[in-house]
Amino acid sequence: MPTINGQVSHWFDTLPTPRPGLPGDRDADVCIVGAGYTGLWTAYYLKRADPSLRIIVLEARFAGYGASGRNGGWLSGLVPGDRNRMAKSHGREKVIAWQQALNDAVDEVIAVAAAEGIDAGAVKGGNLEIARNPAQAARLSAAVAEERRWLNDVTELTKEEAAQRIAFDGMLSAYHTPHCARIQPAALVRGLADTVERLGVALYERSPVHEIVQGRAVTVSGTVRAPIVLRATEGFTSALPGLHRRWLPMNSSMIATEPIPVALWDEIGWGERELVGDTAHGFFYAQRTVDDRIAIGGRSVPYRFGSRTDNDGRVPARTIRSLTEVLHSLLPQVRQVPIAHGWCGVLAVPRDWEAGVALDRASGLGWAGGYVGHGVTATNLAGRTLADLVLGHRTERTQLPWVGHQSRNWEPEPLRWLGVRGLYTAYKVADRHEARSGSAKTSPIARVADLITRKP
């Protein structure tokens, strides 16, 4: 069978038939633009807190068309920002509270999915981070110390202990943290869409919003008027007027194998369904899927000129080849297993790599996003936080350091394109340099790139 390219993502067995579009002008108490995780979680918690609220969700294509239906399925406590930088402005205790809230949100998502009958394939096997050369091992050791500074549970593993979990080739060291669960991402977002609709939320698909202003969201087929309008558009935010440089739509790509035979799984391991990543600069992320495939992702083409987004997830053939090479270097024993699918999607990256949640009470305009690739869990916390802000509830969530955070805009083109493409080229060169040198020191090329990007 030839490799499927695009068609949104492998997580959709078949693409869903979109719900009807907005049939004309409507009034609501709350209008949410975007039916991904952020928008749907916000609608869910608002409706659970106050069933009388008239809530309308507008979606350009269908629920889960964006990153929520294309991501790597990492339901993790990873912070969408730099904890040290946040601590300088908000204090260490508030950042620890933020980290704990994200860790707790992993269990919250699993619990809500179970309560609402959403089969998202969740298995809380934790996160295994691995190192495959001395420089990566040094960074992994530093990462262990950093996680422990923020009171996270981390277990260091020798290469033998790590290999007992998963038989990756060339591992030098690893660590494991329990705050991570494998999910089938499209199953979660589609289940959420069905759930909020069942609760009485009006969800209109095929209704792209081309303007958000105080009191209304405007589509070609009608306008929704509401005192509260919330933007939950993540990687597609740059298409809205006045927001072209607010967040950069960073591209991430994935492949999935055909199902792997039981005998080969017995050789590989991966019995706990851990989520796996590494400490390379051009890192990979991977999971053992619900249907016993391997899905693995990485950067490839990181950014398209002018903040353009992809064509229904289609990727260059070289991207599929590159990710396949990464997979085969990790697990040579799967070389004979065909690659079933390749796809990509965009995630939103603020200029300072810090996500935010905000509501301006005066205008009624709010937003959440900029999750820098760590949004599967963060969206749940953001949705609960937005619900608190809309309802006027002062809670521990509304005091977390990302509430109200604003980032400066990205540079105009062509500086944006030149900068991002140049920096990720530098990271690739740095990875090759570290692999060849055998040095435990991070490549100076990567150090310079990190300073320029302010990447945490």
Side-chain angles (χ1 to χ4, degrees):
M1 292 285 290
T3 300
I4 298 170
N5 190 339
Q7 297 183 23
V8 184
S9 82
H10 176 72
W11 306 121
F12 294 95
D13 292 333
T14 58
L15 293 183
T17 300
R19 294 170 171 84
L22 182 69
D25 294 347
R26 292 290 186 274
D27 293 325
D29 298 310
V30 181
C31 176
I32 299 170
V33 180
Y37 291 146
T38 300
L40 294 173
W41 280 126
T42 304
Y44 176 81
Y45 288 106
L46 280 171
K47 199 68 174 175
R48 281 296 188 197
D50 185 351
S52 70
L53 283 175
R54 297 172 302 157
I55 302 171
I56 290 177
V57 178
L58 299 173
E59 166 57 39
R61 296 287 293 272
F62 57 80
Y65 175 79
S68 298
R70 308 192 200 187
N71 64 80
W74 283 50
L75 182 63
S76 79
L78 291 168
V79 170
D82 186 329
R83 291 170 295 196
N84 290 297
R85 200 155 60 214
M86 279 291 198
K88 288 180 181 178
S89 54
H90 295 276
R92 174 176 163 78
E93 292 307 312
K94 281 199 171 184
V95 177
I96 288 176
W98 187 30
Q99 176 66 79
Q100 187 59 56
L102 286 162
N103 291 347
D104 292 345
V106 174
D107 295 325
E108 170 73 5
V109 172
I110 295 171
V112 172
E116 300 293 352
I118 301 171
D119 182 5
V123 178
K124 195 178 180 185
N127 168 211
L128 183 69
E129 289 290 310
I130 69 171
R132 301 178 71 218
N133 63 47
Q136 290 182 21
R139 286 195 295 275
L140 187 137
S141 181
V144 169
E146 179 68 8
E147 290 304 316
R148 288 174 175 167
R149 284 191 63 237
W150 302 106
L151 310 182
N152 264 342
D153 305 321
V154 179
T155 301
E156 291 184 88
L157 304 173
T158 65
K159 62 181 180 181
E160 292 81 12
E161 290 169 332
Q164 287 176 4
R165 288 176 172 269
I166 310 172
F168 287 128
D169 194 56
M171 276 192 298
L172 297 184
S173 59
Y175 76 71
H176 179 266
T177 176
H179 305 299
C180 194
R182 186 280 311 274
I183 64 165
Q184 207 282 27
L188 176 60
V189 70
R190 297 300 296 179
L192 278 174
D194 293 341
T195 297
V196 300
E197 200 168 42
R198 187 172 67 247
L199 293 174
V201 172
L203 172 53
Y204 296 108
E205 299 179 331
R206 294 184 292 187
S207 302
V209 171
H210 58 80
E211 185 181 34
I212 299 174
V213 294
Q214 182 174 351
R216 65 185 188 273
V218 183
T219 78
V220 292
S221 58
T223 296
V224 176
R225 295 179 176 84
I228 301 291
V229 182
L230 305 176
R231 171 170 52 82
T233 48
E234 192 60 1
F236 297 96
T237 299
S238 61
L240 290 167
L243 298 174
H244 189 61
R245 292 165 52 199
R246 180 62 54 85
W247 292 334
L248 185 142
M250 184 74 74
N251 195 63
S252 197
S253 303
M254 295 196 74
I255 59 171
T257 68
E258 293 287 356
I260 293 174
V262 172
L264 196 48
W265 278 121
D266 290 341
E267 182 181 336
I268 294 168
W270 218 326
E272 299 300 315
R273 275 58 174 179
E274 301 95 332
L275 282 301
V276 183
D278 72 346
T279 52
H281 306 292
F283 57 87
F284 77 86
Y285 51 94
Q287 67 151 282
R288 177 176 175 176
T289 69
V290 173
D291 55 353
D292 279 335
R293 305 168 190 259
I294 295 174
I296 183 169
R299 279 291 178 263
S300 181
V301 179
Y303 174 71
R304 292 178 170 87
F305 188 87
S307 292
R308 290 181 293 113
T309 54
D310 57 85
N311 179 18
D312 286 350
R314 189 169 180 83
V315 294
R318 68 181 183 276
T319 295
I320 296 174
R321 290 195 299 269
S322 175
L323 289 172
T324 302
E325 289 170 3
V326 173
L327 173 60
H328 291 171
S329 74
L330 289 162
L331 292 168
Q333 54 270 60
V334 303
R335 284 185 178 276
Q336 303 308 313
V337 179
I339 303 301
H341 204 146
W343 72 96
C344 69
V346 291
L347 53 103
V349 178
R351 186 60 181 86
D352 61 359
W353 292 75
E354 302 282 356
V357 182
L359 174 66
D360 177 26
R361 299 299 312 188
S363 67
L365 296 175
W367 56 269
Y371 304 113
V372 297
H374 299 329
V376 179
T377 304
T379 49
N380 174 271
L381 181 60
R384 283 183 283 151
T385 305
L386 271 179
D388 289 342
L389 294 171
V390 168
L391 297 169
H393 297 164
R394 182 180 175 86
T395 65
E396 291 181 357
R397 286 186 291 272
T398 63
Q399 306 308 303
L400 294 174
W402 67 340
V403 176
H405 179 77
Q406 292 275 10
S407 307
R408 70 180 177 88
N409 283 346
W410 281 86
E411 291 77 6
E413 296 291 20
L415 297 177
R416 191 159 70 246
W417 184 86
L418 290 169
V420 175
R421 295 294 289 263
L423 288 165
Y424 274 87
T425 298
Y427 284 134
K428 288 181 181 178
V429 172
D431 278 331
R432 288 197 293 267
H433 175 257
E434 291 176 1
R436 287 195 307 265
S437 71
S439 171
K441 293 183 178 180
T442 289
S443 168
I445 300 169
R447 291 187 183 278
V448 171
D450 285 345
L451 286 173
I452 294 171
T453 60
R454 298 189 73 197
K455 184 180 177 183

